[in-house]
Amino acid sequence: MKASLKPRYEARAKILKAMAHPSRLLIIEELQKQEWCVNELTEMVGADTSTVSKHLTVLKNAGLVADERRANCIYYRLRCPCILDFMECVEEVLAVSAKDHQKIMKCCKK
Amino acid sequence: MKASLKPRYEARAKILKAMAHPSRLLIIEELQKQEWCVNELTEMVGADTSTVSKHLTVLKNAGLVADERRANCIYYRLRCPCILDFMECVEEVLAVSAKDHQKIMKCCKK
DNA sequence: TGGCTATTTGGCTATATGGCCAAACACGAA
DNA sequence: TTCGTGTTTGGCCATATAGCCAAATAGCCA
């Protein structure tokens, strides 16, 4: 790979990697609606608080979320609304795959 | 996490995970322009053929690319053009992070 | 068929990740 | 300041990934 392109792809990969986990996708989706504190997100995810905290750190390091303390809770919010479009594309990939799968299924029934 | 949502997020995560690697992002970007065979992609990536072959398998399993043999080469092509939009969003995330970073830098200079 | 080239698979190692538990930390409120 | 709640960090283990090399496979073409 051309050395000049490497940092570019590494930066992008970091963001995608940060999103590439079921629990983190749930968190992202919930944060699209409104901000939530760690406690609330922990309940939604259904894992240990420390686990969710680490997921949030991953998202924060990737620049996807921001946090802010208010009273004695730390609230997280999404930093980029475009992530919604992102998911539309992911769904399209899934849809195309599903279509193929259907074809295969039909083919087998014959 | 609600059990009914789990498969949904797992499916999405699988796709994002498949994209979340510098070499695979390079491959995706090159395949946006035109189809290429393993050999050609190997040269672009600059890794062992077997490594690139495995990357392509990952992309194929995620439903992102399709392959087709012609003559004695196997050509790979993108299955979802929307991935381009995807990258625009990733770039936006990077841009926002960069902006913040600049702010921090400025702040420190004072 | 047999050889040749392109591609995939298996084996191995080093490294990264996710999960839980326990402990540390942060900070508002009494 | 001390308590208590909310959050993060460290430690540990099990599992997954990326990389290379070597070997196996696939299938075109003579």
Side-chain angles (χ1 to χ4, degrees):
Chain A
M1 188 182 323
K2 255 178 87 180
S4 60
L5 291 174
K6 210 174 171 189
R8 176 193 198 77
Y9 288 121
E10 280 171 352
R12 290 181 179 184
K14 188 183 166 191
I15 292 172
L16 289 162
K17 205 171 168 187
M19 301 178 71
H21 188 284
S23 300
R24 294 199 289 265
L25 287 177
L26 175 94
I27 290 171
I28 287 170
E29 199 148 286
E30 292 301 330
L31 292 182
Q32 260 160 12
K33 299 176 197 160
Q34 63 170 92
E35 57 175 25
W36 297 103
C37 72
V38 183
N39 239 347
E40 294 167 322
L41 290 168
T42 297
E43 199 168 337
M44 293 175 194
V45 172
D48 196 86
T49 314
S50 66
T51 301
V52 174
S53 174
K54 279 174 187 169
H55 282 315
L56 288 167
T57 301
V58 171
L59 292 173
K60 196 163 71 171
N61 284 338
L64 290 164
V65 303
D67 62 337
E68 184 192 351
R69 173 181 286 267
R70 278 207 305 285
N72 60 346
C73 290
I74 296 178
Y75 288 89
Y76 281 81
R77 63 179 171 77
L78 262 203
R79 300 190 64 201
C80 281
C82 64
I83 291 176
L84 195 64
D85 311 329
F86 227 95
M87 284 309 132
E88 277 173 24
C89 175
V90 174
E91 285 298 318
E92 194 176 321
V93 175
L94 286 172
V96 171
S97 295
K99 216 169 166 183
D100 280 9
H101 199 249
Q102 274 186 343
K103 272 187 202 162
I104 293 165
M105 291 294 108
K106 271 188 192 168
C107 170
C108 293
K109 279 183 191 164
K110 273 178 195 172
Chain B
M1 186 184 322
K2 258 179 83 178
S4 60
L5 291 174
K6 212 174 170 190
R8 176 193 199 77
Y9 288 120
E10 280 172 351
R12 289 180 179 185
K14 188 184 165 190
I15 291 172
L16 289 162
K17 205 171 168 186
M19 300 177 71
H21 187 284
S23 300
R24 294 199 289 266
L25 287 177
L26 175 94
I27 291 171
I28 287 170
E29 198 148 286
E30 291 301 331
L31 292 181
Q32 261 160 11
K33 300 176 197 162
Q34 63 170 91
E35 59 176 25
W36 297 102
C37 72
V38 184
N39 239 346
E40 294 168 321
L41 290 169
T42 296
E43 198 169 336
M44 293 175 195
V45 172
D48 195 88
T49 315
S50 67
T51 301
V52 174
S53 173
K54 278 173 188 169
H55 282 314
L56 288 167
T57 302
V58 170
L59 292 172
K60 196 162 72 172
N61 285 338
L64 290 164
V65 304
D67 61 334
E68 183 193 350
R69 173 181 285 268
R70 278 204 309 284
N72 59 347
C73 289
I74 297 179
Y75 288 89
Y76 280 81
R77 62 178 173 78
L78 262 202
R79 298 190 64 202
C80 282
C82 64
I83 291 175
L84 196 63
D85 310 330
F86 227 93
M87 282 310 131
E88 276 174 26
C89 175
V90 173
E91 285 298 319
E92 194 175 321
V93 174
L94 287 172
V96 170
S97 295
K99 217 170 168 182
D100 280 9
H101 198 250
Q102 274 187 341
K103 271 187 205 163
I104 294 165
M105 291 294 108
K106 270 187 194 171
C107 171
C108 293
K109 278 181 194 168
K110 272 176 199 175

